[in-house]
Amino acid sequence: MIRAAFARLRPLAFPLALALAASPVGVPAQGLPRAGGAAVSGGLPTLGDAEGLSVGAERRLGERIARELFRDPDYLDDAVLSDYVQQLWVPLLAAARQRGELPPDMDERFAWRILLGRDRSINAFALPGGWLGLHLGLISATTTRDEVAAVLAHELSHVTQRHIARMMTQDSRVSPLVMGAMILGAAMATRNPAMGQAVVAGGQTVAMRSQLNFSRDMEREADRVGFGVLTQAGFEPAGVVAMFEKLQQASRLNDDGSFAYLRTHPLTTERISDMRARLPMDMGSAGPKASRPDLLHGLAAARARVLSAPGVDALRVLVREAQALPADAPLPRQAAALYGGALASLKLRDAAQAARLQARLARLDLAGDPAAARFVRLLGGELAWAAGDSAGALAAAGMRPVERPEVLLAAMAQLQITQVEAAAQAADRLQSWVLDHPSDATAWQLLAQAQGARGLPLRALRAEAEARVAVLDYPAAMDRLRAAQNLARRGTTDHVEASIIDARSRQVELLLREQAAER
Ligand SMILES: [Zn+2]
């Protein structure tokens, strides 16, 4: 079976209420659900409808796959990078909506979430039900935010055009369950071929792998629709061509499989020239204009490089790069190298070196780029927290944090103080955060810690349960809820929490039963 676990979460667009809603259409264990379920309406593709697979069935299939991804050791919820990617993703979704590419039914019921993988390969993939996977290698290999957005817009369009649903209905001999395993296998195979094979193994194997690639027409459609979404969202269209040329260049130099994206999205000269033809005249004829230096993206790429570094040697290289930086290097290069070096030093547990590089970074004049300055400030908070300087970390998070990285940093700093009062403040902060972001597993986990520190075990157990629900691990959630019920039975004054726990137990029990029925 698949061993998977990405360990922290993006909140967003996946309200708990949705996960708890009863499913109108059941997925039969064998054979495809027939048409007539939740049909998608409006804004649909030129390639024909996805007849067999309803939106509801695709959503459930997506959850089955996402559940495995959450358990992948490479899954990573880095608050800073997740937030960065979210800033690209939200405008793309809004643009797809405005352009009528995202029918309300699909909009509401699909997850629309991007899971980050700590993998150095240049890869991104769309899964059923609006889940996307994005490898850190893709972030670190790009030079502008437009390039990342171009890939996300393309993947988004595979989902909105229901390419996955169509792919699945092309072969009615394959049940959604098997197809789900195959899609996951193909996604994992891009990282670890042996693992991918193992997932798919068991009869319907290699021959079917070829069907998991989108067709040439689907690729063309995702390029076309994705381009419209990208430009409407305000990104530079040249990012698309830059990205494709980068991939093509990379594939010429390197054939060891680290450019996995190319295997599922074969690049053809035709696709690149189609793209170029879509650019405004002045850019199309001269080729993509040189990427403008993107300070913020450079920091995000540096962070991705550190977090996906394969070992201490790779981290040491990043530290040396920062140390050897020429004084007259352009600002974006200096900022990226110092940021990467400081974070790499932190990972190497060299606090003194981290502080030296961070101090140099903080002296750069980033006043013209508030978002980049925020990245640097958050890094300062991270270093302070790691050094046990709770006050420094709290200061970096700001007085009234509203964004996720700041909210989580502030809570972590307060938990570090190990006083009941600070734990209570952290709990308040996190409690109001999860109210708006119920699928934020990391926040729930921190809340569990805060409640435990306050001596409120019932609340701690429930928060732990919610963290498991958020990563779709219902058996583990049920386990925590039962422990909480047992504890409450031994006597509690927290009657409100006890009744919430009873209600949640019934809901999670239903989810568990539904999950068992799908097997
Ligand atoms: Zn594609």
Side-chain angles (χ1 to χ4, degrees):
M1 260 324 283
I2 311 136
R3 265 289 307 138
F6 276 58
R8 310 158 132 172
L9 262 234
R10 326 202 28 58
L12 266 241
F14 189 56
L16 205 55
L18 196 83
L20 297 176
S23 327
V25 190
V27 187
Q30 291 297 320
L32 289 162
R34 292 295 111 212
V40 184
S41 54
L44 265 192
T46 48
L47 292 179
D49 289 343
E51 280 158 5
L53 196 67
S54 71
V55 166
E58 187 179 333
R59 178 175 75 85
R60 283 192 302 281
L61 180 59
E63 282 179 16
R64 176 195 297 280
I65 296 172
R67 191 177 300 147
E68 300 302 332
L69 277 183
F70 279 128
R71 292 156 75 184
D72 189 301
D74 269 0
Y75 164 71
L76 162 85
D77 173 23
D78 178 65
V80 173
L81 278 183
S82 295
D83 185 70
Y84 178 71
V85 171
Q86 203 60 27
Q87 312 272 347
L88 308 179
W89 185 230
V90 170
L92 290 173
L93 278 175
R97 243 169 244 135
Q98 280 161 18
R99 295 174 67 84
E101 302 291 356
L102 191 47
D105 187 27
M106 209 194 294
D107 195 0
E108 282 160 31
R109 303 186 71 192
F110 279 12
W112 306 116
R113 283 175 57 178
I114 303 175
L115 303 189
L116 297 180
R118 197 197 318 265
D119 190 292
R120 282 179 308 144
S121 59
I122 300 180
N123 198 19
F125 46 89
L127 296 169
W131 296 87
L132 268 75
L134 177 63
H135 287 180
L136 294 192
L138 194 140
I139 300 176
S140 61
T142 44
T143 43
T144 66
R145 62 205 285 273
D146 308 303
E147 293 171 32
V148 180
V151 171
L152 295 179
H154 176 95
E155 295 302 321
L156 170 65
S157 303
H158 275 313
V159 182
T160 58
Q161 303 307 110
R162 309 241 35 222
H163 288 167
I164 295 167
R166 262 184 251 156
M167 211 159 62
M168 294 180 59
T169 50
Q170 273 163 11
D171 190 339
S172 55
R173 292 165 304 170
V174 184
S175 77
L177 188 59
V178 171
M179 184 61 88
M182 284 163 52
I183 291 171
L184 182 59
M188 304 272 246
T190 60
R191 182 177 82 219
N192 179 345
M195 190 179 212
Q197 296 284 358
V199 171
V200 183
Q204 321 184 52
T205 47
V206 187
M208 299 193 135
R209 286 280 295 280
S210 61
Q211 295 171 11
L212 292 175
N213 290 347
F214 293 120
S215 72
R216 214 168 238 255
D217 285 343
M218 287 176 178
E219 288 305 340
R220 215 173 283 138
E221 190 174 64
D223 281 347
R224 177 177 58 76
V225 175
F227 188 85
V229 168
L230 181 80
T231 47
Q232 177 138 353
F235 292 99
E236 284 289 338
V240 185
V241 178
M243 186 72 220
F244 279 21
E245 290 191 337
K246 188 162 286 173
L247 287 167
Q248 199 180 39
Q249 178 72 18
S251 70
R252 265 193 230 113
L253 297 175
N254 191 330
D255 201 20
D256 70 352
S258 26
F259 299 97
Y261 193 66
L262 295 175
R263 239 179 288 139
T264 45
H265 297 76
L267 278 180
T268 58
T269 317
E270 183 199 341
R271 274 183 74 200
I272 294 181
S273 61
D274 275 1
M275 280 299 179
R276 189 167 279 149
R278 288 192 187 101
L279 296 181
M281 200 78 105
D282 54 328
M283 284 194 258
S285 53
K289 68 175 180 183
S291 306
R292 65 207 151 88
D294 187 335
L295 189 54
L296 178 63
H297 184 78
L299 299 180
R303 187 172 184 90
R305 205 164 293 134
V306 172
L307 297 184
S308 61
V312 291
D313 289 339
L315 291 172
R316 287 196 188 112
V317 167
L318 293 170
V319 176
R320 274 199 297 275
E321 266 175 32
Q323 287 168 328
L325 193 68
D328 59 347
L331 181 67
R333 214 187 118 200
Q334 285 201 46
L338 291 170
Y339 186 98
L343 188 61
S345 304
L346 178 69
K347 298 286 166 201
L348 289 166
R349 296 171 196 278
D350 185 348
Q353 181 66 266
R356 273 196 296 277
L357 293 172
Q358 161 74 13
R360 280 174 65 193
L361 178 63
R363 279 199 296 275
L364 297 179
D365 179 15
L366 304 179
D369 193 334
R374 171 185 177 230
F375 243 72
V376 170
R377 183 165 38 76
L378 283 168
L379 177 65
E382 213 173 337
L383 298 188
W385 184 83
D389 171 12
S390 317
L394 265 177
M399 285 295 284
R400 286 183 205 289
V402 285
E403 303 293 333
R404 184 169 184 258
E406 284 86 352
V407 168
L408 297 185
L409 177 63
M412 284 167 63
Q414 279 166 329
L415 282 171
Q416 203 171 37
I417 298 172
T418 63
Q419 283 168 3
V420 175
E421 199 181 317
Q425 281 169 2
D428 281 351
R429 190 188 298 287
L430 291 163
Q431 193 74 64
S432 59
W433 176 263
V434 294
L435 206 61
D436 293 333
H437 307 86
S439 59
D440 190 336
T442 303
W444 279 114
Q445 202 57 57
L446 284 171
L447 180 58
Q449 224 180 305
Q451 303 291 30
R454 295 170 77 189
L456 298 174
L458 210 54
R459 289 180 182 225
L461 279 169
R462 180 179 154 235
E464 261 179 48
E466 298 295 357
R468 302 327 298 164
V469 170
V471 293
L472 313 172
D473 186 356
Y474 307 133
M478 207 55 226
D479 184 65
R480 302 296 186 284
L481 289 169
R482 289 217 177 92
Q485 283 178 316
N486 287 337
L487 189 65
R489 251 177 243 127
R490 293 205 294 272
T492 178
T493 50
D494 198 346
H495 299 293
V496 174
E497 190 67 11
S499 73
I500 293 175
I501 287 166
D502 284 340
R504 292 296 284 146
S505 300
R506 287 190 294 275
Q507 289 166 327
V508 175
E509 185 72 51
L510 268 179
L511 288 170
L512 258 177
R513 236 177 281 150
E514 210 177 278
Q515 197 177 312
E518 282 173 30
R519 283 181 205 286

